[in-house]
Amino acid sequence: MLMRISAKTEYACIAVLELAAQYGTGQPVRIRKIADRHDVPPRFLVQILLQLKGAGLVASTRGAAGGYHLARPPEQVSLGEVMEVIEGGDGEAWRPNASADSPAVKVLVETWEEIRSKEREWLRQITFADLLERARSQDQQMYYI
């Protein structure tokens, strides 16, 4: 079974990873740079960054040299946090099709909720500093500060 990740969540994580790569440089990142580098629709990226800004994860700088930057260090922003902002919390709970009074259904619902809980816990432990380190090992040029 695979996690289902929406395009919006994927783009949000890409954007935050780009901002993490520039964190501390004093240089905001332009939407166009992220969009061009990762083939993400810029109009969609604007909406995503505004949503992340509303949640306090990113901040913006206006003007000719403006753009976006992380509001906190990459070590303090988790993958789970970004996903929750974009997906709206815990997501949709599983609803059984069979009788909710069935012992088999009850145990399945409990088990799947335990799995979802562990998944959320694990995602909250992965920071964008961790992801940046992994990305740098994949492509030294792309995420080199």
Side-chain angles (χ1 to χ4, degrees):
M1 181 187 282
L2 296 174
M3 278 179 58
R4 291 191 180 131
I5 306 295
S6 68
K8 186 176 182 182
T9 298
E10 178 184 356
Y11 297 159
C13 292
I14 288 168
V16 172
L17 192 54
E18 283 288 337
L19 300 181
Q22 293 299 314
Y23 186 81
T25 66
Q27 299 293 322
V29 180
R30 292 176 175 257
I31 289 174
R32 175 61 58 194
K33 179 180 176 182
I34 299 168
D36 290 348
R37 182 175 283 183
H38 300 284
D39 198 25
V40 175
R43 296 176 91 190
F44 200 26
L45 203 50
V46 169
Q47 295 172 356
I48 290 167
L49 286 165
L50 287 174
Q51 191 172 355
L52 293 170
K53 182 179 177 182
L57 294 179
V58 303
S60 63
T61 304
R62 293 180 177 230
Y68 286 86
H69 59 275
L70 281 182
R72 300 191 315 249
E75 298 82 16
Q76 296 177 12
V77 180
S78 76
L79 183 59
E81 187 176 12
V82 170
M83 292 175 74
E84 287 173 14
V85 166
I86 298 302
E87 295 177 8
D90 291 338
E92 191 174 309
W94 179 74
R95 292 183 189 93
N97 294 305
S99 170
D101 295 330
S102 160
V105 171
K106 286 179 182 179
V107 76
L108 287 172
V109 169
E110 289 173 8
T111 301
W112 287 328
E113 185 49 44
E114 288 173 17
I115 292 168
R116 287 185 63 191
S117 177
K118 290 292 183 190
E119 178 183 79
R120 287 188 302 268
E121 180 183 321
W122 193 43
L123 290 169
R124 286 186 199 115
Q125 292 175 1
I126 301 169
T127 69
F128 276 85
D130 299 330
L131 294 174
L132 186 57
E133 187 176 316
R134 290 182 190 184
R136 285 179 174 147
S137 72
Q138 295 288 321
D139 185 352
Q140 291 297 322
Q141 283 186 309
M142 185 170 192
Y143 294 102
Y144 183 77
I145 297 178

